[in-house]
Amino acid sequence: MRIINAFAATEAGGQLEPFRYELSDIGEEQVDIKIHYCGICHSDLSMLNNDWGNTQYPLVPGHEIVGEVVATGKHVKNIKIGDLVGLGWFSESCMHCDQCMSGNHNLCPTKEETIVGRHGGFADYVRSHWSWATLLPKGIDMSKAGPLLCGGITVFNPILSSGVKPTDKVGVVGIGGLGHMAVKFLNKWGCEVTAFSSSPSKKEEILAMGAHRIVNSRDLSEMKEINGSLDFILNTTNVTLDWPGYLKVLAPKGKLHNVGAVLEPMQIPAFGLIGGDKSLSGSPLGSPALTRKMLEFCIRHEIYPITEEFPLEKVNDALDHLKDGKARYRIVLKVV
């Protein structure tokens, strides 16, 4: 049994308060992680506000976790006490369904989510199945690695699953917490990267991230200038966009891929897809194996999110900073 010191909300939109709870004896395939850092994701805000209708209170948010393994069950594989690991949105999958057996653990129909129906990483310890505790590569910057476990893998997965090639011309919509990492990945992938942004003040920052061109997404003339030019567009925003306009920007056989949690139905004109043999898709994070590959890619190319750090005790200040749209570009809580 382990006593956990955490911060939790007891109602939708409520402030986080100190919270203690007990973990039962560790399961045979589980690991306990002493948390060093935990990122704050916009999904934490969505869960705090119960925007998706699946929040259970009290809620301990936090699913961009890096830390040290301090306990293991007797049937844990490939992980030992003292290992540095990361834990993202998923904390367990069944390991026997068709999706798990084919390597798509993130598509397991009975997968467990780190902050859905259980407590997450705004705490000193967290527990997960060993398969989702991803070993961190040597030399990784622990203070910046947390957001890679959610935001990073969310935008890295579609690069592979959509077959994006180094010769492709690609676009990223929304250069925020997710989008700025997508720009970095796609630049190092070898693509010509167009960033769609409505914030002219970010121009120099976005170019420094690796974008080759910036298009004002609110300027119809700029959008029309690049119609029919992009092979792949990744939308990282969670708001309704001019979907027909973005479909026109795609080249024939191009794909518009969505990782932003847009709550409203997407109004997609059928002929906008049919006429150019275009497609629309979406994806949730990635498998444990793909997460390891992403971290290796990050180390090889020195890719990290741009972060701001707060101590765990200042978690409400950090959340207000995110709510006010001031984050540049991911927030990380320091736990130890």
Side-chain angles (χ1 to χ4, degrees), residues 6 25 27 96 115 251 253 265 290 310:
D25 292 341
H96 62 77
I115 60 172
K253 295 188 178 295
L290 186 57
F310 287 73

Side-chain angles (χ1 to χ4, degrees), residues 19 26 57 107-108 154 186 195 199 209 271 328 332:
F19 174 70
I26 194 167
Y57 300 96
L107 301 180
C108 173
T154 293
L186 288 162
S199 302
M209 293 168 193
F271 283 110
R328 291 292 185 271
V332 174

Side-chain angles (χ1 to χ4, degrees), residues 28 85 91 166 179 258 336:
E28 293 182 347
V85 299
S91 50
N258 191 65
V336 297

Side-chain angles (χ1 to χ4, degrees), residues 58-274:
L59 169 72
V60 178
H63 59 277
E64 296 183 338
I65 300 160
V66 291
E68 178 184 352
V69 175
V70 294
T72 62
K74 64 181 181 180
H75 290 160
V76 167
K77 300 174 178 63
N78 199 44
I79 299 285
K80 64 182 184 301
I81 292 174
D83 283 342
L84 298 178
V85 299
L87 178 68
W89 183 260
F90 300 122
S91 50
E92 186 173 350
S93 47
C94 76
M95 307 299 284
H96 62 77
C97 70
D98 286 347
Q99 297 302 324
C100 284
M101 293 301 288
S102 61
N104 297 309
H105 303 73
N106 56 313
L107 301 180
C108 173
T110 59
K111 58 187 175 291
E112 178 184 82
E113 296 164 314
T114 301
I115 60 172
V116 179
R118 65 193 301 280
H119 297 314
F122 291 1
D124 50 5
Y125 294 90
V126 71
R127 177 173 289 174
S128 80
H129 189 274
W130 66 265
S131 62
W132 285 97
T134 303
L135 286 167
L136 298 178
K138 290 183 180 179
I140 197 167
D141 185 344
M142 293 274 284
S143 70
K144 295 181 178 294
L148 295 172
L149 277 299
C150 178
I153 188 60
T154 293
V155 296
F156 187 79
N157 180 13
I159 297 173
L160 277 81
S161 65
S162 297
V164 175
K165 302 184 292 295
T167 52
D168 282 345
K169 296 179 179 180
V170 303
V172 178
V173 184
I175 314 302
L178 289 174
H180 90 284
M181 285 188 277
V183 169
K184 289 177 176 238
F185 282 135
L186 288 162
N187 175 281
K188 295 302 183 183
W189 204 254
C191 301
E192 180 184 297
V193 184
T194 296
F196 294 91
S197 174
S198 58
S199 302
S201 62
K202 291 183 180 180
K203 180 177 180 180
E204 295 305 318
E205 288 181 87
I206 295 172
L207 292 174
M209 293 168 193
H212 299 95
R213 174 173 52 188
I214 301 171
V215 171
N216 186 340
S217 54
R218 294 179 179 174
D219 188 327
L220 292 179
S221 63
E222 287 192 30
M223 293 283 285
K224 288 180 179 179
E225 283 179 10
I226 60 169
N227 277 355
S229 66
L230 300 185
D231 303 294
F232 178 76
I233 297 175
L234 181 64
N235 174 43
T236 69
T237 70
N238 62 355
V239 296
T240 295
L241 301 176
D242 176 13
W243 307 116
Y246 281 102
L247 290 178
K248 290 177 182 177
V249 170
L250 287 174
K253 295 188 178 295
K255 176 182 287 189
L256 173 60
H257 191 94
N258 191 65
V259 294
V262 183
L263 297 179
E264 297 82 10
M266 298 173 68
Q267 301 295 320
I268 304 294
F271 283 110
L273 297 175
I274 295 171

